[in-house]
Amino acid sequence: MSMSEPMSRGTGISGVVTGMALPFGILMLVAMMVLPLPAFLLDVFFTLNILMSLLVLMVALHTFRPLDFSSFPSLLLVATILRLALNVASTRIVLSSGHTGTEAAGKVIEAFGAFVIAGNFVVGIFVFIILVIINLVVITKGAGRVSEVSARFTLDAMPGKQMAIDSDLNAGVLTAEEATLRREDVAREADFHGAMDGASKFVKGDAVAGILILAINLIGGLAIGTLQHDLSIGEAAELYVLLSIGDGLVAQIPSLLLSIATAIIVTRVSSRQDMAQHIKGEISMSRAWFPVAGVLGLLGLVPGMPTALFVGMAAAAGGAGYVFRQAELREESGIQNDAPPEEEPSDPDTLKVTDVADLSAITLLLSYPLLTMVDAEDGGPLARRVTSVRKEVSQALGFVLPGVRLRDDLALPANDYRIKIGQTVVAENKIYPEHKLAIPSGTSRIKMVGIDVKDPSFGIDATWITPEREIEAEANDYVIIEPETVLATHLSQILYKHASELIGQDDVQELLDNLTGVAPQLVQSVVPKLLPLHSLTAVLRTILRERIPISDMRLILELLSEMASRNLSVAETAEALRPHLVALLIQQTAPLNDALPVVTLESSFEHLLINSAKQSEGEQLLLDGSLAERLVHSLVNINEEQSEAGKKPFLVVSPQIRRKLSTFLRQHVADFPVLSFTELPDGRKVEVVATVSGEAPISDAP
């Protein structure tokens, strides 16, 4: 037998005992109403009743919100049944044995009756009536009204709360698990306030029952004492009034405590503090205490008033106001009594690992003049543009990109910036924050005066101009771009290019966790049973290397499950997935109703590349230097011409050379997708915008 078995058995026995305690206790309460109890047990149960009432009151005082004591309605019902059972049991003893003396019903009833009556029956009756009025008319009635209104308002607010939860869930503020917990919380709140509305009736009925039981004990006791036991009216009154008042008080005190607890629960406002802290935090306003001190001081000067008492109270109120005012001043100045000691300044000679190891996945380094585009409060226009680019690229590629860290680098030349992926600088350029970039269009006739550059994103000739020349440039059909937009567009291009380096196993696991919510069996059957997490990550990196989105993880896993028996390599697996995913890339650049702009290779040139691919080893395509230069030059010119026309062309080649040619072009031509003929979507219009020949740079299609 393992060591865990005895522990599990013990836990099971404890659970059974706990589960049987309440039903057994309820049966005992019902039995108390029928079976006679000795005086000793009556004293024990009366003391237990007082203990329970005090405990419930203390718990109610220390809850942060009403729902923290959600078992209160049920507990109130059990306490009420206990008190009524004790009333029945005590009435039986009072009426049957009251003629023998005041100790007949136990020490507790005798002590309560003797202490309150103090030799005067009339005073005892009036004190009991006052307690009943306080309980029934003031506390119970008020708590019942609050419960009724709270239940009504809570039920009316439920649809709005549910809509707010759905809105937060759709906006991504809440996870599915958090939304489920919130909905359960709303349902429990409605159930609680509805139950409290009914439970308050128990307290009211208990108070009324206390009055009736007192009357029965008085009338019945006097009748039994005089008629059955031959006692005089005075003797019967001396015995039965004391016992009746004691019995009523010993039940009414716990009832009053539970009524107070009920009122506290239903009037409690949800907060992060218990009731005492909540009240203290809201009455500790110094500007409220000083007027109180002044008014009490003036009342103390009125002739006939107890001057010493009022002046003492005024001094106490003024002292409290002074203490609260000092606390307010400390809070305003940021000084806290329990603030930790300030850290000693670090030794400039001390070198920490954080000083030499930057774990940021994406870093944008800015020279000093470029810091004007970054505001200390909200990040400025550059930070907003960078955030927008990160969100846009994440949505396009199908996974959440890491955050971009903006840092200053005083070692950079003026107006320079660098983009780092991990620890590697992958791009750098210049921008001029006090200028604007003017890019000529096809109809621009004049040359703008300024700083001539190449656009960092697309390599187009452009000019940085001063703001005074902006109107002139627009009049001559120049496109004007803000400096932060130039940098953000360059960053966007870099993120697309290096997306495969930015996704890791943690990111893939996050995608799988998200898919588990809608297709749990699919995820469990593929990862890690058919494909380990690191292999899936490698496949997704290969797909992202050519900018194909991985947003449809359900389709990817279904295809991988079908390919599991083919024993493909990572590159072969990614190539097999491409025909099913390439439509996601095409729809981002070419609208569905527009013809797809494609570039083809001249037949003899393509056969030449096929033969070269067969002779090349590995993933590299070995080409003659002049031939490779003509190919690259042709595609660059085509890309520029089509970009000016607002089109994004695709190079379509034979499946035999697609992968090797794509690998070759990624090193020389920025963002020119390469598709195979088999990957073109069915039913999609295709427009051949150019044909590349090995002889001439470009041959326009007819």
Side-chain angles (χ1 to χ4, degrees), residues 672-701:
F672 206 124
V674 181
L675 307 181
S676 70
F677 292 113
T678 58
E679 293 175 348
L680 291 175
D682 295 335
R684 185 71 187 263
K685 295 180 181 179
V686 175
E687 177 188 3
V688 180
V689 297
T691 300
V692 178
S693 170
E695 302 295 332
I698 302 177
S699 176
D700 292 335

Side-chain angles (χ1 to χ4, degrees), residues 21 66 81 174 176 181 280 294 383 403 450 457 524 540 548 629 636 640 692:
I81 295 174
L174 298 176
L181 292 176
K280 176 182 176 296
S457 301
Q524 293 176 11
L540 296 181
I548 296 180
E629 184 179 356
V636 168
E640 289 182 358
V692 178

Side-chain angles (χ1 to χ4, degrees), residues 29 33 49 52-53 73-87 199-207 209 255 258 262:
L29 296 180
M33 298 182 184
N49 187 23
M52 181 184 294
S53 303
S74 301
L75 194 57
L76 185 62
L77 172 61
V78 173
T80 303
I81 295 174
L82 172 61
R83 198 160 46 254
L84 293 175
L86 288 174
N87 280 330
S200 61
K201 305 300 187 294
F202 298 150
V203 180
K204 180 179 179 180
D206 183 36
S255 177
L258 286 179
T262 304

Side-chain angles (χ1 to χ4, degrees), residues 549-582:
I550 58 171
S551 51
D552 196 348
M553 283 297 296
R554 182 203 291 266
L555 176 60
I556 292 174
L557 292 189
E558 289 175 347
L559 294 172
L560 288 174
S561 65
E562 297 173 2
M563 301 176 189
S565 60
R566 295 166 58 180
N567 197 23
L568 302 175
S569 65
V570 170
E572 292 169 340
T573 302
E575 198 69 16
L577 290 173
R578 280 182 53 88
H580 305 277
L581 303 176
V582 75

